[in-house]
């Protein structure tokens, strides 16, 4: 099969690795891709958020499947346009993508579906925000209602900082604080059925010990040895399946990757947020352990045929991904910094997230620049391998957390 992968980040590089390793894939194309993806796929200078440009490229290349990586093309309706053109697509239509495109919409769906989540208020004025903050108390949780590249959430004890974030966003969701460890679970969905991947845990704060502001994610590990063995089944029953049923009831079936970010609170399981695509950086760790060829599973989901997939096979052990970010991130990152990479190893390799080529020189082109993946018999061995390879990266403008893989 011929596949077109949309996106240019670390998640897409991880997807490209898995798709390129699938024996059924005869051609892999990416738009726009990055230098790392370019070693696995043919790159095309196509705007992934332009429905017309993507459809034209897919037709010209004669692809059998389009895999949409980032959220922006989904919210822009790229999947709608591809399906209207008769092209199999892994990724939800625009209406279903509102599960990520609007926090308020997601809350409404969860309420209707009986999915456990934090009590919340949608606020559009300073007065409404102030009242909601007072109702829930500290710590204050303020979320931009729209897309914010993983950086639209503020959790703070400082009421004035919470009010300032609400004012800057305009329309926000303010909700009750959820205690307990967080878990990410991905489910591949075909509109009616869902197939879970391994659970993972990511690290949102920029600094060691979860210090500093929220980021798009500084690292992740999978699986979760400390979690209850029945956790995945519980999440599927209480969160994923009711959500799919509610989306079907609304006439907007969900086809693609449903990401549930959850908190295991003292009061039980609660959904923190939904995303409608593979999470970044958890995908990098989870796909490092997947043995089942990925392309066929994604195509079955795109065609509403997940009942033909017997389940997913996983390699033993664990995987850890450590993100290297550019100085200044998550504020204004220092771009253009030179990078020299060591060679990949069997159980440790580097994924490109925000890189570009300046002539023959690899340079930083974003906030999160690289992801170093390590695999091992357990999380400790995996993180040792990831950090050993990350230490050999020559990136003077970069930094990373040193505690990825330590449960928190």
């Amino acid at each position: 099969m011929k596949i077109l992968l949309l996106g240019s980040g670390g998640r897409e590089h991880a997807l490209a690795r898995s798709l390129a390793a699938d024996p059924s894939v005869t051609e892999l194309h990416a738009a726009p891709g990055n230098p790392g993806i370019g070693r696995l796929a043919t790159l095309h200078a196509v705007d992934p958020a332009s429905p017309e440009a993507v459809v034209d490229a897919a037709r010209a290349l004669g692809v059998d499947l389009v895999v949409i990586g980032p959220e922006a093309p989904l919210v822009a309706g790229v999947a709608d346009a591809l399906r209207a053109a008769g092209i199999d697509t892994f990724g939800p239509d625009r209406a279903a993508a509102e599960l990520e495109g609007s926090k308020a919409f997601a809350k409404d769906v969860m309420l209707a579906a009986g999915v456990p989540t934090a009590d919340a208020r949608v606020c559009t004025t300073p007065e409404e925000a102030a009242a909601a903050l007072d109702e829930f108390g500290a710590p204050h949780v303020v979320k931009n209602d729209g897309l914010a590249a993983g950086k639209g959430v503020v959790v703070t004890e400082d009421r004035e900082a919470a009010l300032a974030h609400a004012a800057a966003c305009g329309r926000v969701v303010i909700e009750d604080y959820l205690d307990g460890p967080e878990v990410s679970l991905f489910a591949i969905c075909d509109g009616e059925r869902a197939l879970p991947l391994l659970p993972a845990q990511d690290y949102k704060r920029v600094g060691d010990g979860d210090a500093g502001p929220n980021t798009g994610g500084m690292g992740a590990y999978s699986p979760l040895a400390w979690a209850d063995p029945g956790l995945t089944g519980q999440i599927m029953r209480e969160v994923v399946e009711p959500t799919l049923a509610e989306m079907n009831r609304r006439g907007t079936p969900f086809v693609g990757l449903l990401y549930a970010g959850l908190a295991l609170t003292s009061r039980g399981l609660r959904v923190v947020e939904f995303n409608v695509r593979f999470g970044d950086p958890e995908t990098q760790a989870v796909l490092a352990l997947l043995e089942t060829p990925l392309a066929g599973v994604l195509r079955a989901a795109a065609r509403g045929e997940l009942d033909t997939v017997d389940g997913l096979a996983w390699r033993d052990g664990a995987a850890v991904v450590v993100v290297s970010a550019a100085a200044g991130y998550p504020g204004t990152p220092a771009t253009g910094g030179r990078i020299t990479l060591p060679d990949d190893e069997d159980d440790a390799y580097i994924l490109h997230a925000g890189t570009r080529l300046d002539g023959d020189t690899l340079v930083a082109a974003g906030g999160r620049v690289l992801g170093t993946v390590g695999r091992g018999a357990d999380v400790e061995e995996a993180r040792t391998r990831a950090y050993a390879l990350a230490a050999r990266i020559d990136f003077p403008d970069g930094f990373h957390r040193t505690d990825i893989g330590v449960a928190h």
Side-chain angles (χ1 to χ4, degrees):
M1 108 181 60
K2 300 178 182 179
I3 294 180
L4 173 60
L5 171 65
L6 302 184
S8 61
R11 161 188 50 228
E12 287 76 38
H13 193 175
L15 285 165
R17 275 184 62 100
S18 290
L19 294 171
D22 188 328
S24 72
V25 176
T26 55
E27 289 182 23
L28 181 60
H29 300 268
N34 64 39
I37 296 172
R39 299 175 66 180
L40 301 166
T42 303
L43 303 187
H44 302 272
V46 172
D47 178 2
S50 168
E52 298 81 6
V54 172
V55 168
D56 287 347
R59 281 176 168 159
L61 294 169
V63 299
D64 303 296
L65 175 69
V66 177
V67 177
I68 303 176
E71 59 272 27
L74 296 167
V75 175
V78 170
D80 306 62
L82 287 164
R83 289 195 178 98
I87 299 167
D88 287 342
T89 303
F90 184 79
D93 291 346
R94 186 202 308 258
E98 279 296 283
L99 279 174
E100 180 170 358
S102 170
K103 299 289 193 299
F105 175 79
K107 284 289 186 183
D108 185 63
V109 169
M110 284 187 270
L111 181 64
V115 171
T117 187
D119 195 13
R121 303 289 178 266
V122 180
C123 305
T124 57
T125 68
E127 293 75 19
E128 289 174 347
L133 293 175
D134 292 341
E135 177 183 358
F136 292 126
H140 304 296
V141 181
V142 185
K143 299 180 175 181
N144 189 335
D145 182 50
L147 296 180
K151 294 179 285 186
V153 179
V154 164
V155 181
T156 179
E157 298 278 350
D158 186 336
R159 187 174 184 275
E160 293 306 311
L163 283 171
H165 184 64
C169 295
R171 178 180 168 91
V172 295
V173 173
I174 295 176
E175 63 183 38
D176 199 11
Y177 175 75
L178 298 176
D179 61 351
E182 293 193 9
V183 171
S184 301
L185 186 75
F186 304 155
I188 295 172
C189 307
D190 72 355
E192 296 184 5
R193 293 163 289 266
L195 198 60
L197 279 69
L198 291 177
Q201 187 174 70
D202 75 336
Y203 295 69
K204 287 295 187 190
R205 302 280 185 168
V206 72
D208 286 1
D210 291 336
N214 271 340
T215 71
M218 294 299 293
Y221 70 98
S222 181
L224 310 179
W226 51 267
D228 187 299
L231 178 62
T232 295
Q234 181 187 4
I235 296 169
M236 295 299 289
R237 290 190 307 273
E238 298 182 10
V239 176
V240 175
E241 291 166 5
T243 299
L244 290 185
E246 174 62 18
M247 294 298 284
N248 264 326
R249 189 189 69 78
R250 294 176 180 226
T252 54
F254 189 93
V255 177
L257 196 290
L258 182 63
Y259 162 115
L262 309 120
L264 306 184
T265 78
S266 56
R267 293 165 289 171
L269 184 78
R270 298 288 187 275
V271 174
V272 176
E273 65 175 351
F274 283 135
N275 290 337
V276 297
R277 36 73 192 182
F278 282 97
D280 187 345
E282 299 99 318
T283 296
Q284 290 87 305
V286 172
L287 290 186
L289 300 172
L290 180 64
E291 287 192 332
T292 300
L294 181 62
V297 179
L298 300 189
R299 193 178 195 187
R303 292 180 161 186
E305 299 173 353
L306 273 185
D307 56 335
T308 64
V309 179
D310 293 332
L312 300 177
W314 302 93
R315 64 188 295 161
D316 293 334
V320 170
V321 57
V322 177
V323 170
S324 297
Y329 181 77
T332 303
T335 59
R338 176 190 54 78
I339 305 166
T340 304
L341 299 179
D343 291 335
D344 289 344
E345 302 170 359
D346 288 342
D347 283 310
Y349 53 87
I350 296 167
L351 300 171
H352 294 236
T355 66
R356 64 177 175 84
L357 287 173
D358 185 358
D360 293 330
T361 303
L362 187 69
V363 300
R368 293 185 296 166
V369 179
L370 302 165
T372 305
V373 177
R375 289 186 295 224
D378 52 28
V379 170
E380 186 58 37
E381 185 174 67
R383 72 185 301 270
T384 297
R385 287 176 174 163
Y387 276 110
L389 187 60
R392 294 169 50 206
I393 297 172
D394 183 5
F395 180 26
D397 291 342
F399 72 94
H400 58 251
R401 282 183 59 160
T402 64
D403 60 349
I404 306 301
V406 178
H408 71 290

